[in-house]
Amino acid sequence: MFLGELVPMAGDDDVGLGLGVRKELLSYLLAKIQQRTSVYGDIIIKTRQALANILIAQTLWEDAANMLQEIRFDQSQKLVDKNVKFDVYVTTMDLYLRANNLSQAAHTLNRATSLIHSIEDSELCYKYRYLQASILDRSQKYIEASNGYRNVFTQSMSANIEEHHVLLDKAVRCAVLASAGPIKVRTLASLYRMTEAASCECFQLLEKMFLQRLIEPSEVAHCAQFLEKHQLQTAADGRSTLLEHAVREHNVFVLSSLYTNIRLENLGRMLGTNAEDAELICARMIAESRMKGHIDQTAGLITFEGAREVKEVSAAILLKRQASAQPPPMHLREQVAAKWDERIVNLCTTVEDAVDMLIERQPVYAKMLFRRNLD
């Protein structure tokens, strides 16, 4: 009973003791009882939570996260409510993200995901989904991150307009940074249709990507100043930023629908790089089925299949429009009768043409044939 009263008292800010004293007291207590989980399971959990709060006050994010991560709810003598567990997992995720420990944040996310469907607290669910999108963002899974931020934006009930707008801004930035391809096009389309997105800083880039237009270096520089620190990292090629690499892939994707084929040297010049880098970008996009085509390394030429497909789609749209202008289809019996009549007319026309040709080329034989028929 004494320990049960001591832990809340040591964790209380109004007790009159400094953070350092309370931290030492709780650390000493935890060291003495943490091996006796069968007896002090509940007190161990409360002690770790109290210590985590002190570490948070000292801005020791990772230490606080580690303290919460070591909590074992199955050691409690009482049944712990799922909302309490979920709250601890979400707080731990947040602390690991603040400490830039992405791997541990992702590990805690998996623990929280197993409970999300049974949580009814809307505020906790909102925080979970926001942190989930943040983890995907920092893991450079930009398509999933953009969709996550957009879903949080649409479900958010926040009265703070500025905070609400930040979510959509993050969704737009992640969509712009995503790898070019059909999946990105769908993500861009969903954001482009949202009227609120027009006020985002990187909307101009998003619009040009959605409309399949080539992007200039000046437009890249304008958007880059609004990116977050973790989004300014160098791409896998070691020379360009993540944004520059995403824009080059986009420009390749656009050019693939305009050109049937192009020399790699000319393609590199259009992308603001060399032929080798242009070849690597195209090879990766083709290998990942984000673009159709093949590369002839001997001739230094890449052949795109996108231009042909665009023409096929345009032809299909034209045929569809022509079909829609025709009268509505007839019933099956009417269709059969109409086709039969058409065949009879064609047969009669063919016979008539044959007779005219016979009379023109063999008049004597035709006269004899007709006379025999009359007889």
Side-chain angles (χ1 to χ4, degrees), residues 216-271:
E216 300 292 333
S218 59
E219 296 169 317
V220 177
H222 173 75
C223 181
Q225 61 184 329
F226 300 109
L227 297 181
E228 297 182 50
K229 185 177 179 180
H230 64 273
Q231 296 172 337
L232 296 172
Q233 298 177 19
T234 305
D237 59 13
R239 292 186 294 275
S240 59
T241 64
L242 292 171
L243 179 60
E244 290 169 346
H245 184 74
V247 169
R248 281 176 184 166
E249 284 195 346
H250 163 76
N251 285 341
V252 169
F253 194 66
V254 173
L255 292 170
S256 71
S257 64
L258 300 176
Y259 288 85
T260 303
N261 54 62
I262 187 174
R263 291 196 173 277
L264 292 170
E265 182 180 354
N266 296 333
L267 178 62
R269 192 180 302 111
M270 290 181 177
L271 299 177

Side-chain angles (χ1 to χ4, degrees), residues 198-210:
S199 59
C200 294
E201 288 86 353
C202 294
F203 178 77
Q204 182 181 2
L205 217 60
L206 180 139
E207 183 178 38
K208 296 198 77 170
M209 286 183 171
F210 173 69

